[in-house]
Amino acid sequence: MNRRERAVRDCADNTAFSAFSACSAGISAVEGASRLDELTKAAGFEFHLFSVFPRGDRTAFLENKVISNWPQSLVNFYEEADLFYCSKLVAAMKRTIMPVFCEEGPFGGTAANQENRRLNAMFQMHGLKQTFAFALHDADLKQYIFAFSGSGGVPSREAAMALVYGCMELLDRLASAEKPDDRPSESLTRREIECL
């Protein structure tokens, strides 16, 4: 048993805050999707997105999406638009560790062009009018995005904290179900790849 596993095991008894009750066993993706549905509804939202934070070598929406209840037509449209990695939401989340609330076009790019207007109209049509989002990282420092969308307003501080904490528990349980991969934790940026 390595040092990290021993430290996690030794501290497991001190994890008293978890509604899931702390345990080393993870949960399946289906159980994770069900739990994310519960969190979404409890916070007053209709849609959720749980994705890996896009990196320079992984920019496409589908290769980063982990769990989502977005309509399939919207997922396909967004994948084709290829704006996730440079969206207003991702740009805002790179500048702060605090949760962000976007009322207009968070998943579109920053340019004011016809494609962005069409994309924003598509999101509005499907009911993803406002988005509350935040970033979390797992024990291996892999960063993720949790985004909750719908027609509701800004959640109260208590509701926002309950949502953030619920997602922390979910991420911890999902991460413990996965086997660690042997890839490096940092990879080349899109520009570094272009230069090579």
Side-chain angles (χ1 to χ4, degrees):
M1 179 181 299
N2 67 31
R3 201 176 342 168
R4 180 173 172 247
E5 289 172 340
R6 192 168 37 253
V8 169
R9 188 202 65 213
D10 292 345
C11 293
D13 294 336
N14 297 328
T15 314
F17 299 107
S18 179
F20 279 137
S21 72
C23 68
S24 59
I27 59 172
S28 70
V30 173
E31 292 170 316
S34 175
R35 177 65 178 140
L36 202 50
D37 276 333
E38 292 170 14
L39 291 169
T40 303
K41 288 178 182 136
F45 293 101
E46 292 88 39
F47 299 97
H48 56 258
L49 169 66
F50 167 37
S51 79
V52 176
F53 207 100
R55 302 180 317 223
D57 62 334
R58 287 179 58 115
T59 59
F61 179 65
L62 285 178
E63 68 182 339
N64 287 303
K65 179 177 76 77
V66 179
I67 300 172
S68 172
N69 68 344
W70 289 10
Q72 190 59 46
S73 60
L74 184 61
V75 170
N76 295 340
F77 186 83
Y78 197 49
E79 173 67 12
E80 190 177 307
D82 193 27
L83 289 172
F84 182 55
Y85 72 97
C86 63
S87 66
K88 289 180 190 175
L89 182 69
V90 171
M93 295 176 83
K94 286 179 179 178
R95 292 189 305 265
T96 182
I97 60 169
M98 296 299 291
V100 296
F101 184 78
C102 303
E103 293 185 281
E104 201 171 293
F107 297 103
T110 53
N113 58 27
Q114 183 67 26
E115 184 179 11
N116 267 335
R117 284 191 288 278
R118 205 169 113 228
L119 183 67
N120 291 338
M122 185 80 152
F123 274 91
Q124 292 279 331
M125 183 181 76
H126 281 91
L128 287 85
K129 296 179 177 160
Q130 299 172 331
T131 299
F132 175 74
F134 48 89
L136 294 174
H137 64 79
D138 63 15
D140 295 317
L141 301 182
K142 188 173 181 182
Q143 200 170 13
Y144 296 89
I145 293 173
F146 286 87
F148 299 88
S149 304
S151 54
V154 183
S156 68
R157 189 178 184 92
E158 293 76 21
M161 287 313 299
L163 190 55
V164 170
Y165 194 79
C167 290
M168 288 171 66
E169 291 176 325
L170 175 64
L171 181 58
D172 189 54
R173 294 288 299 276
L174 284 170
S176 66
E178 290 181 5
K179 289 186 172 195
D181 56 7
D182 294 330
R183 290 181 293 164
S185 60
E186 293 185 25
S187 56
L188 299 176
T189 65
R190 179 176 243 182
R191 180 66 183 138
E192 289 169 333
I193 291 169
E194 286 174 9
C195 290
L196 286 174

